[in-house]
Amino acid sequence: MSLLTVDDLSVVYDQGHGRAVEAVKRVGFTLEQGEFVGLVGESGSGKSTLGYALTRLSKPPARIAGGRILFDGSDIAALSIEQVRTQRQGGFAMVLQSGMNALNPVRTIRNHFMDVFAAHGHVPLGARAARAEELIAKVELPASVLASYPGELSGGMRQRVSIALALSLEPRMIVFDEPTTALDVLVQHAVMNTIRQLQATEKFTAILISHDLGVVLEATERVLVMHDGVIVEDAPSRRILSAPEHPYTRMLLSHYGDPRAAEVSVPGLSRRASGEVSVAAPTTTPSPRRAAREPIVVSNVSKVYPARRRGAAVRAVDDVSFTLEPGMSMALVGASGSGKSTIAKLVTGVERPTAGSIAFGDLRIDRLHGRRALKRLHADVQMVFQDPYAALNPLHTVEYILSRPIENFVELRGREVRMRVLELLETVGLTPAATFAGRLPHQLSGGQRQRVVIARALASDPQVIIADEPVSMLDMSLRAGVLALLEELRENRGVSMLYITHDLLSARLVTDRIMVLNKGVVVERGDTADVLQRPQDDYTVRLLDAVPNPARP
Amino acid sequence: MTTTTDPVTPDPPVIEGRGNPLRVVARAIGTIWSEPKARFGVILLTAFILLALFAPLIAPYDPHDGSFPHSQDGSAAHLLGTTGVGQDVLSQLIWGARVSVSVALIAGLLATLVAIAVGLSWGYVRAFWGEAVGFIVNLFLVIPSLPLMIVIAAYLHSGGLAVIVLVVVVTGWAWGARVLRSQTQTLRSRDFVTAAKFSGESPSRIVFREIMPNMTSLIVASFFGAATAAILAEAGLEFLGLGDPNTVSWGTMLFWAQNSNVLLTGQWVQLFAPGFMIALFAVSMTFINFGVDGLSNPRLRERTAKR
């Protein structure tokens, strides 16, 4: 008999007055004991809602509206809260995306284990310490971790601890909800490997919920693809890869590529080894406004953050030099803590270097003083932010957001400003512009918001754009569109671009030159295609290996 | 430039959904109105304001008129009785709303304005003089306000309404400034504030156009809190005889009632009625506060509007 049978399950979000939004629509599937299954979908597909329903963690306004979930033959909807609690031992458990923040900061890791053991009493008193050590070893952490407080551990270590805590109850099924999404790229890879090994040795049934088809295909045997609350495809991983049936699955797959390949392409954007770019279907006619004329010259720059209460001073950037030539696009890649975002802050004048100089034309960025000087810099050097949900003031309309830099930097007033706003919206592909101009940010999708952010960066007609992970918060299917837009702007307007990312595939798609940073030091630089195809440094190789690639054997 | 005569530029298409100030205010009221508890508060507050505005029409007698029999109990002619000097209590209560309600609203508004000015600039600027401002705010927070009020009011013994407003504002702004400052500190590190700097905005514009609208609900809440504190402080000062005893307000009514020992004569209504009005006014403020959460959250606003 199957371990889990989901039958015609619907989950709705109540919105009051009898209105409800159906997030999961009559879903049905079965899971065998010991299976490792992936659940893939983009934001809003209902995958997390389904995961919460399966583990009885749904909270109002979410509500199971119909169907049954049979776990080991009994309907979990019928369980009382106390029964749900006791069954966690030997039953079903969940590891959350923010699991690393679920630890109590004032209690040691050992205390966390002891709490679990005490609550269920399934481990005899004398054996508890040994059991805790055994569990922590399973997630590849040293036993010394048990004595530490959560604040003393890194994000990856804390996520491992929360996996070990889930394991401590020997559950038969664990739902992993985006367990590695909030972690650094390199750590992500290692934690995923641990989960895979654990599943193989402990033989629990696992469901891996993720937005990233690449990650899921690498780890699991079977994949459920979810779209708009419906499971559109349920097939073995190998078949998803070789013969995807549903168009949505095919669309998701088309957005993956190997940055090492001679020719890389995603829908709407492709790049060959020679560095030629082809942008499919440009949305505007080329109208070179103001090509970049000045280079940004960074010479021997270091940035040291003074020591906090505990620990030594942090050397975020160490003796970095580079030149961003006019019209060039350069990638700055590295894992978190590599100093890439600090360089962005230094180049935009937000922070000052500890040593070295940064020049934009004849403007010394490292010596800028006062708001007027900063404004002069920002007329030419603009920034695209990482998180489109945080970078737009929720109370201002798109028109207001875009008109401010126009009024501040360009000598336009009144209806000319409005004309320019509409023109900008058309440039970034938000048409009809007049309907978008009046909207508030929450009325736009993530991709549309990021286009507004890009439009704002363009408003002052800058020479240089610093893009700090501009697509990392977006769904896979939206990324290509935003990247194509950036590429097209560079082609048509001749702006230079500093593209900061940890994602080598996107770096390959939109940049000519690349600089790999590790702990503030440049470890490798050169032509993007060259470096990625023939990486010299071990760190670059590790970053390349961390790129999820479903096609990898 | 002669843009007006330029025939080439076509008119830009009309942008949908542009808000004008009047509609923003109407929407804010609508947001508060959609919460039943707040609706109750708004109705109560409106009643108080109408009572104050139309006092000459509503009140049966002149509140200063002492020609009635002294210390009467309630009767058809004098529903709440008369005072020790022969004035109609009901008329005094209605006329008293004028002074009490307006002092509460004006002092509350002024205290909130000071709190906004100090709290937002103090929270946004990361400079050493922030420490100095912090010291002053903390000073106002730790000084017990009632003794301070008494000292100031006694010192400026002219006793007019302006003095009472001034005293209430001086002693009432610090708490709001503190709250608004900590919220400003949270908001100033948001990406959209950094983005505004990249858009070339001036610091004052960042503070008042980007940050302040995001804390509307906090500001409104702090206004209602300040107004409540103001009406209590005003009544307190007048009860202690630090106001002008010849004005008619709920505080002076309490003062005179206490002076003529109404509890001993059994005319407890004279103490109870103004006290009840003050409490009711505070209740209306508290209930309106239930509805202000949606003000600076368009998402919340939309959800309540749909209901």
Side-chain angles (χ1 to χ4, degrees):
Chain A
M1 203 187 73
S2 317
L3 179 70
L4 182 79
T5 308
V6 176
D7 200 10
D8 225 10
L9 179 73
S10 297
V11 183
V12 299
Y13 282 91
D14 284 320
Q15 295 203 312
H17 288 259
R19 287 162 23 89
V21 173
E22 204 169 25
V24 175
K25 298 166 187 160
R26 303 175 73 93
V27 161
F29 61 91
T30 60
L31 239 60
E32 302 302 325
Q33 177 73 46
E35 250 192 315
F36 196 177
V37 173
L39 183 59
V40 176
E42 293 190 294
S43 46
S45 62
K47 57 186 192 305
S48 288
T49 309
L50 178 57
Y52 278 94
L54 294 182
T55 46
R56 263 299 291 272
L57 288 170
S58 295
K59 284 194 201 97
R63 173 172 62 83
I64 294 178
R68 286 185 311 164
I69 305 168
L70 297 179
F71 180 77
D72 204 14
S74 60
D75 193 349
I76 68 157
L79 295 177
S80 71
I81 289 175
E82 181 55 22
Q83 281 170 321
V84 170
R85 191 186 74 78
T86 49
Q87 70 72 39
R88 296 271 180 226
Q89 201 255 306
F92 45 83
M94 190 158 184
V95 174
L96 300 170
Q97 180 175 351
S98 53
M100 61 244 202
N101 299 328
L103 304 174
N104 188 339
V106 298
R107 313 207 67 204
T108 61
I109 304 301
R110 178 174 287 111
N111 279 330
H112 283 85
F113 280 101
M114 295 309 149
D115 289 347
V116 175
F117 295 149
H120 290 274
H122 61 296
V123 181
L125 261 180
R128 286 182 184 175
R131 178 72 178 141
E133 275 176 36
E134 185 189 334
L135 284 163
I136 212 79
K138 277 186 186 173
V139 291
E140 291 159 27
L141 289 175
S144 60
V145 163
L146 285 172
S148 358
Y149 290 91
E152 296 166 352
L153 305 177
S154 70
M157 289 164 97
R158 275 180 282 153
Q159 188 65 303
R160 282 169 192 270
V161 168
S162 74
I163 293 170
L165 284 169
L167 279 178
S168 70
L169 292 171
E170 296 136 28
R172 292 165 69 193
M173 180 178 87
I174 302 185
V175 177
F176 293 92
D177 187 7
E178 307 259 9
T180 60
T181 308
L183 303 174
D184 177 58
V185 255
L186 294 175
V187 181
Q188 255 180 26
H189 206 58
V191 172
M192 213 52 235
N193 281 339
T194 306
I195 292 177
R196 258 149 82 183
Q197 281 162 18
L198 278 176
Q199 196 274 332
T201 52
E202 306 285 308
K203 307 254 183 294
F204 55 83
T205 309
I207 301 178
L208 174 65
I209 300 175
S210 177
H211 67 282
D212 196 330
L213 186 56
V215 167
V216 167
L217 283 175
E218 276 182 359
T220 62
E221 301 143 11
R222 189 177 131 205
V223 177
L224 310 174
V225 181
M226 213 166 166
H227 179 50
D228 264 348
V230 181
I231 292 181
V232 294
E233 191 152 357
D234 175 358
S237 305
R238 222 166 288 120
R239 204 164 68 209
I240 292 262
L241 195 58
S242 57
E245 279 174 17
H246 198 273
Y248 182 72
T249 317
R250 269 184 242 145
M251 189 279 291
L252 283 180
L253 274 172
S254 69
H255 287 277
Y256 288 88
D258 185 352
R260 295 187 230 221
E263 184 178 336
V264 185
S265 75
V266 295
L269 196 63
S270 75
R271 194 171 265 246
R272 280 169 289 283
S274 56
E276 294 166 48
V277 192
S278 57
V279 174
T283 51
T284 52
T285 48
S287 57
R289 277 179 171 277
R290 184 160 101 184
R293 299 174 305 261
E294 318 269 15
I296 286 189
V297 183
V298 174
S299 8
N300 305 99
V301 159
S302 297
K303 174 75 186 177
V304 180
Y305 288 106
R308 291 271 178 100
R309 258 184 306 146
R310 278 187 289 174
V314 182
R315 188 165 276 270
V317 176
D318 194 1
D319 197 24
V320 169
S321 307
F322 65 90
T323 305
L324 185 68
E325 298 289 353
M328 183 168 97
S329 84
M330 179 156 86
L332 215 53
V333 300
S336 58
S338 60
K340 53 190 197 305
S341 292
T342 309
I343 291 183
K345 284 182 191 159
L346 296 175
V347 169
T348 52
V350 174
E351 294 201 15
R352 280 159 190 257
T354 319
S357 72
I358 306 168
F360 172 68
D362 53 0
L363 195 67
R364 281 290 292 270
I365 299 176
D366 56 319
R367 287 194 196 148
L368 281 185
H369 211 81
R371 200 173 73 79
R372 205 147 293 170
L374 212 56
K375 192 170 163 184
R376 220 184 108 206
L377 174 69
H378 289 159
D380 282 320
V381 179
Q382 274 290 332
M383 178 128 177
V384 173
F385 293 84
Q386 175 176 14
D387 184 356
Y389 294 86
L392 299 176
N393 192 334
L395 296 172
H396 289 320
T397 61
V398 170
E399 188 197 6
Y400 178 86
I401 290 169
L402 294 183
S403 63
R404 291 310 304 160
I406 299 173
E407 284 173 17
N408 285 333
F409 292 120
V410 191
E411 302 284 302
L412 292 177
R413 283 292 171 268
R415 68 176 194 183
E416 289 179 319
V417 172
R418 218 199 290 175
M419 290 301 294
R420 180 94 174 92
V421 167
L422 298 175
E423 198 186 307
L424 281 170
L425 284 171
E426 267 161 34
T427 311
V428 297
L430 291 176
T431 47
T435 59
F436 280 103
R439 299 235 181 121
L440 289 168
H442 76 274
Q443 295 164 327
L444 303 173
S445 71
Q448 289 169 340
R449 285 182 206 214
Q450 196 58 304
R451 283 168 192 269
V452 173
V453 172
I454 293 172
R456 173 172 60 192
L458 291 174
S460 66
D461 224 346
Q463 299 187 39
V464 183
I465 286 184
I466 318 281
D468 188 0
E469 307 251 14
V471 295
S472 69
M473 305 290 283
L474 300 178
D475 272 335
M476 225 48 188
S477 57
L478 297 171
R479 290 185 186 184
V482 171
L483 288 176
L485 170 65
L486 285 173
E487 184 58 40
E488 184 198 316
L489 293 171
R490 202 168 63 84
E491 292 277 290
N492 294 344
R493 297 187 164 227
V495 292
S496 11
M497 180 164 75
L498 192 59
Y499 181 79
I500 296 168
T501 189
H502 64 264
D503 173 16
L504 293 176
L505 177 63
S506 64
R508 176 72 204 278
L509 284 166
V510 295
T511 62
D512 310 322
R513 308 275 300 164
I514 194 166
M515 234 168 57
V516 184
L517 278 168
N518 183 14
K519 298 197 176 100
V521 183
V522 178
V523 293
E524 196 161 359
R525 65 169 88 209
D527 184 69
T528 306
D530 250 12
V531 168
L532 296 185
Q533 283 173 313
R534 288 171 286 280
Q536 302 298 316
D537 193 89
D538 177 52
Y539 184 73
T540 318
V541 176
R542 275 166 61 212
L543 279 176
L544 276 165
D545 286 339
V547 176
N549 185 4
R552 193 177 298 150
Chain B
M1 276 212 24
T2 52
T3 44
T4 41
T5 53
D6 184 3
V8 188
T9 322
D11 261 342
V14 177
I15 291 171
E16 292 155 31
R18 284 155 63 86
N20 65 36
L22 224 84
R23 264 179 48 193
V24 172
V25 172
R27 198 170 55 187
I29 293 171
T31 308
I32 294 178
W33 190 255
S34 64
E35 166 70 44
K37 285 178 197 154
R39 200 178 303 170
F40 170 71
V42 170
I43 292 172
L44 211 55
L45 179 63
T46 315
F48 274 115
I49 292 172
L50 291 178
L51 192 68
L53 282 178
F54 296 107
L57 302 177
I58 301 168
Y61 308 104
D62 181 346
H64 295 287
D65 184 358
S67 59
F68 306 110
H70 295 188
S71 299
Q72 294 286 301
D73 280 337
S75 63
H78 304 284
L79 283 175
L80 296 178
T82 59
T83 66
V85 291
Q87 295 157 329
D88 181 49
V89 175
L90 181 64
S91 303
Q92 285 208 320
L93 204 63
I94 293 167
W95 277 89
R98 286 200 147 184
V99 171
S100 293
V101 170
S102 53
V103 165
L105 295 181
I106 292 169
L109 189 70
L110 291 178
T112 309
L113 289 180
V114 175
I116 291 173
V118 175
L120 267 68
S121 50
W122 179 29
Y124 182 71
V125 174
R126 301 168 200 245
F128 78 97
W129 62 263
E131 299 290 322
V133 177
F135 178 76
I136 296 167
V137 174
N138 285 337
L139 205 63
F140 274 96
L141 280 173
V142 293
I143 292 177
S145 54
L146 192 64
L148 179 65
M149 276 195 274
I150 294 170
V151 168
I152 300 174
Y155 181 70
L156 303 166
H157 50 77
S158 65
L161 278 183
V163 168
I164 289 194
V165 169
L166 180 78
V167 169
V168 170
V169 171
V170 165
T171 56
W173 61 274
W175 179 80
R178 183 102 217 183
V179 171
L180 296 180
R181 177 229 186 187
S182 42
Q183 182 68 6
T184 310
Q185 281 181 320
T186 336
L187 288 172
R188 75 170 172 202
S189 54
R190 293 277 181 87
D191 273 359
F192 66 78
V193 173
T194 317
K197 285 183 200 153
F198 272 85
S199 298
E201 299 281 47
S202 64
S204 65
R205 200 158 171 121
I206 290 177
V207 167
F208 292 108
R209 290 305 300 269
E210 302 287 333
I211 293 180
M212 197 175 83
N214 277 290
M215 36 203 260
T216 319
S217 44
L218 206 59
I219 291 171
V220 174
S222 116
F223 163 71
F224 288 124
T228 310
I231 199 167
L232 292 174
E234 183 238 0
L237 285 176
E238 286 174 337
F239 177 72
L240 294 173
L242 291 163
D244 176 2
N246 294 321
T247 54
V248 177
S249 78
W250 296 334
T252 48
M253 285 177 73
L254 288 170
F255 172 70
W256 286 118
Q258 178 68 15
N259 266 5
S260 47
N261 288 324
V262 288
L263 281 181
L264 295 180
T265 60
Q267 285 186 303
W268 52 270
V269 177
Q270 287 184 36
L271 270 180
F272 174 78
F276 182 71
M277 294 301 260
I278 291 168
L280 212 57
F281 185 81
V283 164
S284 82
M285 299 281 140
T286 311
F287 271 75
I288 294 174
N289 256 343
F290 280 114
V292 300
D293 287 342
L295 282 179
S296 48
N297 188 341
R299 208 183 281 268
L300 209 61
R301 189 160 68 206
E302 215 154 80
R303 208 172 65 209
T304 46
K306 268 182 199 154
R307 275 189 200 162

